[in-house]
């Protein structure tokens, strides 16, 4: 938002009036603001920063090859790349065996879809190979989409850009 001189003057006047209020009134107003903003967040609705942190945590675990950490942070009935239940751990182990020193990197800032979904373009490299989700020569424009439920990873897919979220 762009602030004009008139807006800045109004803000300065409001702050001056606020400083004149008795200390007790200011403390009560501050507590009321905090309480109202804490209640405003709906259950199951994650902020962009929270989703971005959860996505980065997932990426770091993959980069370390921490399969146990990935599995521990899954929501009940999670699905990763089409794998469900007991097949998730064994599928990840097989993938990591075939892709030694696998590294994932977000190639741009992620964007949020809805209240629990975040997606991003990415690049993955491993010994002897690499793959970009965005490649003009291959006519490919894909993203990795992560869906969370209560801070736990519910679904991971690689999707064409523009297919929308859940």
């Amino acid at each position: 938002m762009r602030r004009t001189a008139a807006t800045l003057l109004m803000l300065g006047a409001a702050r001056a009036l606020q400083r004149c209020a008795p200390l007790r009134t200011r403390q009560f107003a501050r507590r009321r603001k905090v309480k109202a903003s804490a209640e405003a967040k709906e259950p199951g609705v994650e902020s962009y920063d929270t989703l971005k942190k959860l996505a980065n945590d997932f990426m770091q675990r993959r980069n370390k090859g921490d399969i146990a950490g990935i599995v521990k942070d899954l929501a009940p009935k999670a699905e990763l790349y089409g794998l469900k239940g007991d097949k998730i751990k064994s599928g990840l182990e097989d993938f990591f065996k075939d892709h030694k020193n696998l590294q994932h990197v977000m190639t741009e800032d992620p964007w949020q879809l809805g209240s629990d979904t975040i997606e991003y373009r990415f690049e993955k490299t491993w010994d002897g190979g690499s793959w970009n989700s965005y490649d003009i020569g291959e006519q490919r424009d894909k993203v990795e989409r992560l869906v969370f439920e209560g801070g736990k990873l519910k679904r991971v897919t690689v999707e064409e850009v523009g297919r929308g979220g859940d």
Side-chain angles (χ1 to χ4, degrees):
M1 178 169 74
R2 199 168 171 199
R3 294 191 175 172
T4 62
T7 306
L8 290 174
L9 283 172
M10 287 174 33
L11 284 173
R15 287 187 186 124
L17 284 173
Q18 205 174 27
R19 280 191 295 258
C20 294
L23 178 61
R24 183 139 176 87
T25 304
R26 289 188 309 217
Q27 288 172 338
F28 178 72
R30 198 173 307 134
R31 265 187 274 147
R32 189 176 43 215
K33 277 185 190 174
V34 169
K35 186 176 180 186
S37 65
E39 291 172 359
K41 187 170 178 180
E42 297 175 34
V45 175
E46 303 292 345
S47 71
Y48 173 78
D49 292 333
T50 301
L51 289 173
K52 187 175 177 182
K53 181 189 179 314
L54 291 169
N56 280 322
D57 291 348
F58 176 62
M59 188 166 291
Q60 294 307 316
R61 285 189 184 89
R62 282 186 300 181
N63 288 342
K64 292 178 186 174
D66 181 12
I67 295 170
I70 293 170
V71 172
K72 179 183 74 99
D73 283 339
L74 295 178
K77 299 183 181 181
E79 180 181 338
L80 271 69
Y81 310 108
L83 302 169
K84 296 178 183 179
D86 296 337
K87 294 181 181 180
I88 293 174
K89 185 176 180 184
S90 61
L92 289 174
E93 287 170 347
D94 291 343
F95 189 79
F96 280 102
K97 282 180 193 171
D98 293 342
H99 299 83
K100 300 287 184 203
N101 297 315
L102 182 66
Q103 295 293 302
H104 285 79
V105 177
M106 287 182 197
T107 56
E108 59 187 36
D109 282 335
W111 54 93
Q112 184 173 355
L113 298 174
S115 63
D116 58 2
T117 305
I118 195 163
E119 63 183 32
Y120 47 85
R121 288 190 177 101
F122 66 99
E123 176 183 12
K124 59 183 177 181
T125 58
W126 61 92
D127 290 350
S130 68
W131 192 85
N132 278 319
S133 66
Y134 179 76
D135 188 334
I136 294 174
E138 296 289 327
Q139 296 181 345
R140 179 174 49 231
D141 192 4
K142 296 188 175 205
V143 293
E144 185 163 62
R145 182 172 299 144
L146 308 178
V147 180
F148 293 92
E149 181 177 72
K152 298 282 189 177
L153 194 54
K154 181 180 178 183
R155 185 172 33 251
V156 180
T157 57
V158 175
E159 305 277 346
E160 292 287 332
V161 169
R163 287 191 49 196
D166 292 339

